[in-house]
Amino acid sequence: MNIRAFIFENGEKFVTVKAYIYSFYYRLLVKKLPMKQLEKKLGERGKESADTETGEVLRLARLYAFHVNRITERLPWEAKCFVRALTLRKLLHEKDIGSTIYLGVFKKNGELKAHAWLRCGQLYLTGGNGEGMAVVAKFGD
């Protein structure tokens, strides 16, 4: 993102800045903390958020997801699926919007791989919809 576009074309500058900061913060946590400690940031284990939301909530969730997904593709640090889900969950949580983070596994080329994705209402906003994954944990609020 260039400076001109950020200043003149970005109507959600505050969301963009927060997404940068949160993605950096969560990247550090993912690298430094064991999963047991990190779980405290995920929400309530085994709980799922509501599967219905108002149109206004879904519009805001889509907008935030757009910013998080766009920004995390261009960061100088690695921000894969788990960092994206955590970042978006934090932004939604600040607006009292419920979401669920799913953690799953799948096999690729005979190797077990981990994946994370986030759902709000019936929308999957980061990491796809979990198709082909075995859900190992879910965290909602």
Side-chain angles (χ1 to χ4, degrees):
M1 170 183 286
N2 66 40
I3 299 297
R4 179 174 164 42
F6 177 77
I7 293 171
F8 296 110
E9 299 170 19
N10 184 354
E12 292 83 27
K13 291 173 191 66
F14 196 60
V15 174
T16 301
V17 170
K18 284 175 119 180
Y20 272 108
I21 292 166
Y22 292 154
S23 66
F24 179 75
Y25 171 73
Y26 286 118
R27 176 66 181 143
L28 284 176
L29 290 185
V30 167
K31 290 293 272 182
K32 300 294 181 186
L33 292 180
M35 187 60 182
K36 268 292 193 217
Q37 285 184 297
L38 195 54
E39 271 191 31
K40 296 172 188 170
K41 305 279 184 198
L42 299 176
E44 189 177 329
R45 184 184 256 281
K47 185 177 178 183
E48 288 191 89
S49 58
D51 63 352
T52 57
E53 285 292 351
T54 66
E56 182 59 25
V57 164
L58 294 177
R59 186 198 67 74
L60 188 60
R62 268 192 213 104
L63 177 68
Y64 281 17
F66 168 77
H67 284 286
V68 168
N69 288 318
R70 185 189 61 166
I71 288 163
T72 53
E73 289 173 359
R74 296 173 171 87
L75 294 173
W77 57 87
E78 186 177 65
K80 291 189 177 180
C81 58
F82 195 32
V83 172
R84 288 179 188 208
L86 287 165
T87 300
L88 183 55
R89 181 191 179 283
K90 175 70 173 166
L91 289 168
L92 294 176
H93 186 73
E94 288 179 349
K95 295 290 185 182
D96 292 322
I97 297 174
S99 63
T100 304
I101 290 180
Y102 297 91
L103 304 178
V105 294
F106 65 100
K107 273 196 172 182
K108 183 177 181 182
N109 300 328
E111 240 182 272
L112 204 56
K113 301 282 186 178
H115 188 57
W117 61 101
L118 184 129
R119 178 187 60 78
C120 175
Q122 292 186 353
L123 293 177
Y124 290 91
L125 299 168
T126 65
N129 63 6
E131 188 174 323
M133 312 277 171
V135 175
V136 294
K138 55 188 167 187
F139 300 86
D141 49 14

